[in-house]
Amino acid sequence: MREAEANKIKEDLEARINDVEQSVQKISTYSTRLVEEYVVKLEERIKEILKTDVIDEARLAMEVVLYADKCSVEEELTRLKSHIDQFRTLINSKEGPVGKKLDFLIQEMNRETNTMGSKSGSLEITNLVVDIKTKLEDIREQIQNIE
């Protein structure tokens, strides 16, 4: 009976982490568009300020690089994907209790997710961050049922 319950919990955790991974993939897609959208907005703002069609391309490029560094969530996405892989490895592990390790990974995933949310100015990414945080909390609650 205990083994049957463990298998059900494992299936549930796998389904939930798959949902998180899908949201992470969507954020990855949206994040690549952020810089492109910013370039267009910045060009429009500069033209409006200068009231001319002449723009210092070097200055524009520098502003874009600064913005890209500030709003990039690529590092967080990479770490989050790594944590997801580690989570899967742990739930499929045959070695002793993994509950505490899983709980720690969920904590780390929450940190990365929070950082992405604070860096992003995109409504789509913000909504996905909220979705991921909800799913991670559900996973954390389920992890409390395992050793």
Side-chain angles (χ1 to χ4, degrees), residues 104-117:
F104 175 76
L105 276 174
I106 293 300
Q107 182 179 340
E108 291 300 307
M109 287 186 225
N110 265 317
R111 278 197 191 110
E112 301 304 337
T113 304
N114 285 334
T115 303
M116 283 190 298

Side-chain angles (χ1 to χ4, degrees), residues 24-143:
V24 168
Q25 293 300 337
K26 289 178 186 174
I27 289 174
S28 186
T29 301
Y30 288 132
S31 71
T32 57
R33 288 193 339 226
L34 288 177
V35 174
E36 295 164 6
E37 291 171 1
Y38 181 70
V39 170
V40 172
K41 287 179 185 178
L42 187 59
E43 280 180 339
E44 290 172 3
R45 281 184 32 206
I46 291 172
K47 283 179 184 176
E48 182 64 31
I49 290 170
L50 298 175
K51 298 286 186 200
T52 179
D53 288 334
V54 179
I55 296 176
D56 181 357
E57 294 292 328
R59 176 68 181 169
L60 177 62
M62 187 175 76
E63 289 292 332
V64 169
V65 168
L66 290 173
Y67 178 77
D69 279 346
K70 182 178 143 192
C71 75
S72 175
V73 294
E74 293 306 312
E75 288 178 37
E76 290 79 12
L77 287 169
T78 300
R79 284 193 292 271
L80 195 48
K81 289 173 187 175
S82 172
H83 294 326
I84 289 169
D85 290 342
Q86 292 172 45
F87 185 91
R88 284 193 178 110
T89 300
L90 279 173
I91 63 173
N92 289 306
S93 172
K94 300 294 182 197
E95 55 188 73
V98 294
K100 288 183 180 184
K101 291 177 184 176
L102 291 171
D103 191 50
F104 175 76
L105 276 174
I106 293 300
Q107 182 179 340
E108 291 300 307
M109 287 186 225
N110 265 317
R111 278 197 191 110
E112 301 304 337
T113 304
N114 285 334
T115 303
M116 283 190 298
S118 66
K119 282 184 165 186
S120 172
S122 161
L123 180 61
E124 293 95 348
I125 292 177
T126 300
N127 288 337
L128 287 166
V129 162
V130 170
D131 185 50
I132 291 172
K133 288 178 61 119
T134 302
K135 290 172 185 170
L136 290 175
E137 184 57 35
D138 292 343
I139 292 171
R140 174 172 262 159
E141 288 175 16
Q142 189 65 282
I143 288 172

